[in-house]
């Protein structure tokens, strides 16, 4: 069993995203073609994917903080939780590597996602592309050169988020097990 | 019947007193999900404080509902 956060990502967030992708795929084969609808669907999908991945990262952070503070007396829990939550980047910022490192390194270790899995460097490149397009879609900004928005690209970005989620869950499991001297959740 | 660990005891908008906290009341602004050990529900709570409001994420053991008419 993974963390509650990863379980939710796998059993709730990913299926929801797959349903939106199916809607995008259906709009691609409409006759006559409706390119405006296709583009709006793709842009909506980008926002949802980024939001769900941010939601997972924020959930896992909260879950880990709750596990750590459960080991101290209640009066101290309140104080420590407030410190964990204060200025959390993932509350407002994109789920990019910089924000993930800024938040997760509060647990007292260096978050090295690229080294955690041979596939992670490519996944992080995809996460960067996803966040660039997320900002374009959210702010109706300038379309980034050389980064086409298509359904296959979106599916690749979703798979990358899925791989990074599993990787981050495993990193936090190992880090918390060292800190707490026991398994934080059933692996 | 035993209470479920992830039972939702508060809703968004509820005013709550926070145990072990000497400041004023807080307000539930988000149900974060069953993220605490044992699947306990976590609530995001906004507390008005100078110079700026602060947030915390707490389980029900820290929270006490303030009735709407008080």
């Amino acid at each position: 069993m993974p963390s509650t956060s990863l379980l939710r990502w796998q059993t709730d967030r990913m299926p929801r995203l797959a349903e939106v992708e199916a809607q995008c795929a259906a709009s691609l084969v409409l006759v006559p073609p409706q390119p405006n609808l296709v583009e709006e669907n793709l842009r909506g999908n980008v926002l949802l994917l980024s939001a769900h991945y941010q939601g997972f990262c924020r959930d896992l952070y909260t879950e880990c903080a709750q596990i750590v503070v459960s080991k101290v007396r209640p009066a101290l829990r309140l104080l420590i939780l407030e410190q964990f939550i204060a200025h959390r980047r993932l509350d407002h910022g994109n789920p990019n590597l910089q924000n993930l490192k800024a938040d997760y390194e509060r647990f007292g270790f260096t978050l090295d996602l690229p080294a955690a899995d041979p596939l992670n460097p490519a996944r992080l490149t995809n996460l960067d592309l996803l966040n660039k397009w997320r900002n374009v879609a959210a702010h109706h900004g300038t379309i980034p050169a050389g980064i086409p928005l298509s359904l296959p690209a979106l599916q690749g970005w979703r798979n990358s988020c899925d791989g990074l989620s599993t990787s981050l869950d495993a990193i936090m499991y190992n880090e918390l097990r060292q800190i707490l001297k026991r398994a934080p959740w059933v692996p | 019947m035993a209470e479920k660990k992830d039972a939702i005891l508060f809703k968004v908008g509820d005013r709550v007193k926070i145990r072990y906290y000497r400041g004023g009341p807080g307000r539930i602004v988000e149900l974060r999900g069953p993220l605490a050990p044992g699947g306990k529900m976590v609530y995001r709570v906004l507390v008005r404080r100078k110079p700026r409001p602060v947030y915390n994420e707490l389980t029900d053991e820290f929270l006490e509902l303030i009735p709407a008419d008080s």
Side-chain angles (χ1 to χ4, degrees):
Chain A
M1 283 282 284
S3 64
T4 300
S5 307
L6 184 59
L7 203 59
R8 185 180 174 206
W9 166 263
Q10 292 169 337
T11 61
D12 182 56
R13 296 183 186 275
M14 283 286 278
R16 284 169 185 262
L17 291 166
E19 285 181 27
V20 179
E21 272 179 26
Q23 179 180 287
C24 279
S27 69
L28 278 167
V29 294
L30 286 175
V31 180
Q34 297 191 35
N36 288 348
L37 178 62
V38 169
E39 185 181 344
E40 294 302 319
N41 270 337
L42 290 171
R43 284 170 177 255
N45 201 339
V46 163
L47 288 168
L48 288 171
L49 175 54
S50 178
H52 274 295
Y53 184 62
Q54 181 174 353
F56 160 75
C57 295
R58 198 166 154 252
D59 281 355
L60 183 62
Y61 181 92
T62 291
E63 187 174 350
C64 292
Q66 291 284 342
I67 289 168
V68 169
V69 301
S70 70
K71 307 301 177 195
V72 302
R73 65 177 195 269
L76 276 178
R77 271 183 225 167
L78 194 72
L79 181 69
I80 298 169
L81 274 172
E82 188 176 310
Q83 296 306 311
F84 266 121
I85 303 307
H87 309 294
R88 183 169 57 184
R89 301 267 189 99
L90 288 167
D91 283 335
H92 306 288
N94 286 350
N96 56 37
L97 184 58
Q98 293 77 16
N99 287 341
L100 288 172
K101 281 177 71 70
D103 284 348
Y104 278 92
E105 287 184 354
R106 291 195 204 185
F107 286 93
F109 70 101
T110 300
L111 178 64
D112 192 358
L113 265 171
D117 187 311
L119 296 175
N120 277 357
R123 290 169 176 159
L124 288 166
T125 301
N126 279 343
L127 181 64
D128 189 46
L129 297 177
L130 166 66
N131 283 319
K132 282 194 169 82
W133 259 107
R134 181 261 167 219
N135 290 340
V136 169
H139 307 294
H140 241 267
T142 307
I143 294 173
I147 312 174
L149 180 60
S150 64
L151 190 56
L154 262 166
Q155 288 164 335
W157 298 345
R158 177 168 62 86
N159 289 337
S160 289
C161 288
D162 191 32
L164 289 170
S165 299
T166 305
S167 197
L168 188 57
D169 179 272
I171 289 171
M172 291 313 294
Y173 175 86
N174 289 324
E175 290 298 333
L176 291 191
R177 193 175 59 174
Q178 281 193 22
I179 295 168
L180 304 171
K181 310 291 184 203
R182 67 181 70 172
W185 53 78
V186 182
Chain B
M1 202 172 93
E3 184 183 70
K4 279 178 67 181
K5 287 283 180 63
D6 62 347
I8 298 171
L9 303 177
F10 304 96
K11 60 182 187 301
V12 171
D14 281 349
R15 287 180 75 228
V16 287
K17 183 179 176 193
I18 302 170
R19 293 190 188 111
Y20 306 109
Y21 177 61
R22 293 178 193 166
R27 192 175 290 278
I28 306 287
V29 293
E30 186 184 351
L31 275 58
R32 296 283 291 111
L35 297 171
K40 291 197 81 175
M41 179 62 62
V42 175
Y43 301 88
R44 188 165 170 85
V45 182
L46 173 66
V47 179
R48 300 277 172 208
R49 191 193 290 173
K50 302 283 184 179
R52 60 178 63 89
V54 293
Y55 291 92
N56 211 332
E57 293 185 339
L58 304 168
T59 52
D60 61 67
E61 67 193 307
F62 289 98
L63 305 173
E64 189 179 316
L65 184 68
I66 298 174
D69 56 357
S70 67

